[in-house]
């Protein structure tokens, strides 16, 4: 067993789609980034790469590479899972936390878990997604950005 941790932040801007864990969420702002800027998928991808000591998503999917522009973050996650598989690693479980003030995402959590589980070829009960606000504090509280933490166990 090996453990991995991932952390990511993206800026919230008007006129962008808000996609978290592959789920499209109605909101007046979305996340800015080279790919779909799905902060949750990025944190999980980094946690998986970290657990296998295989670097980070910046190394595997550089934002200077046009190939990855507007690529679904679930697809990047799928690539990471395949990379781990090619090194003989499988995933035990994933636990992630989204940090955002608005919008409320509770009704989208199951869809996120299902999307992530599918990309990782896991059953949904091995994927946990939680969400918290920061009670108005910091960049997340000011709705300037969204953060995500993830921990994973691989075997
Ligand atoms: Mg990112």
């Amino acid at each position: 067993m090996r453990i991995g941790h991932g952390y990511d932040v993206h800026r919230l801007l008007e006129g962008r789609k808000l996609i978290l864990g592959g789920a499209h969420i109605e909101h007046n702002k979305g996340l800015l980034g080279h790919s779909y800027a799905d902060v949750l998928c990025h944190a999980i991808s980094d946690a998986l790469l970290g657990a296998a000591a295989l670097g980070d998503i910046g190394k595997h999917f550089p934002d200077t590479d046009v190939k990855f522009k507007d690529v679904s973050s679930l697809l990047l996650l799928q690539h990471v899972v395949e990379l781990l598989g090619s090194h003989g690693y499988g995933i035990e479980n994933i636990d992630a936390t989204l940090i955002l003030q608005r919008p409320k995402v509770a009704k989208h959590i199951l869809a996120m878990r299902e999307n992530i589980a599918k990309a990782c070829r896991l059953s949904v009960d091995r994927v946990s997604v939680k969400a918290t606000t920061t009670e108005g504090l910091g960049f997340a509280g000011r709705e300037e950005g969204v953060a995500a933490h993830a921990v994973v166990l691989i075997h």
Side-chain angles (χ1 to χ4, degrees), residues 8-10 42 57:
D8 195 26
V9 173
H10 280 269
H42 290 185
I57 52 172

Side-chain angles (χ1 to χ4, degrees), residues 22 52 57 91 104 114:
I57 52 172
I91 303 167
K104 293 281 176 225
E114 286 172 346

Side-chain angles (χ1 to χ4, degrees), residues 10-26:
H10 280 269
R11 190 181 287 271
L12 267 176
L13 282 184
E14 283 178 17
R16 296 273 305 184
K17 278 188 197 164
L18 182 59
I19 297 173
L20 296 171
H24 181 239
I25 295 165
E26 281 302 321

Side-chain angles (χ1 to χ4, degrees), residues 7 9 12 14 16 20 23 41 46 48 56 67 72 82 86-87 93 102 113 121 123 125 131 137 144 147 150 155:
Y7 174 68
V9 173
L12 267 176
E14 283 178 17
R16 296 273 305 184
L20 296 171
C41 288
D46 260 353
L48 290 167
D56 58 31
K67 199 165 65 200
S72 158
E82 279 162 19
S86 72
H87 283 77
N93 74 305
R102 273 191 337 124
R113 291 175 61 208
R121 283 180 254 121
S123 55
D125 66 337
L137 297 169
E144 294 167 357
H155 53 253

Side-chain angles (χ1 to χ4, degrees), residues 77-83 85 89 91 114-124 126-127:
L77 176 58
Q78 215 174 303
H79 279 298
V80 166
V81 173
E82 279 162 19
L83 181 67
Y89 293 119
I91 303 167
E114 286 172 346
N115 291 339
I116 293 159
K118 193 174 169 202
C120 296
R121 283 180 254 121
L122 291 172
S123 55
V124 177
R126 289 178 185 263
V127 179

Side-chain angles (χ1 to χ4, degrees), residues 13-87:
L13 282 184
E14 283 178 17
R16 296 273 305 184
K17 278 188 197 164
L18 182 59
I19 297 173
L20 296 171
H24 181 239
I25 295 165
E26 281 302 321
H27 194 46
N28 63 335
K29 290 179 178 177
L31 296 174
L32 180 68
H34 185 67
S35 62
Y36 275 166
D38 188 327
V39 71
L40 180 58
C41 288
H42 290 185
I44 292 169
S45 298
D46 260 353
L48 290 167
L49 289 168
L54 286 171
D56 58 31
I57 52 172
K59 175 185 164 190
H60 294 278
F61 311 105
D63 63 9
T64 49
D65 193 333
V66 290
K67 199 165 65 200
F68 303 118
K69 187 158 168 38
D70 292 331
V71 159
S72 158
S73 302
L74 281 173
L75 210 58
L76 299 190
L77 176 58
Q78 215 174 303
H79 279 298
V80 166
V81 173
E82 279 162 19
L83 181 67
L84 260 68
S86 72
H87 283 77

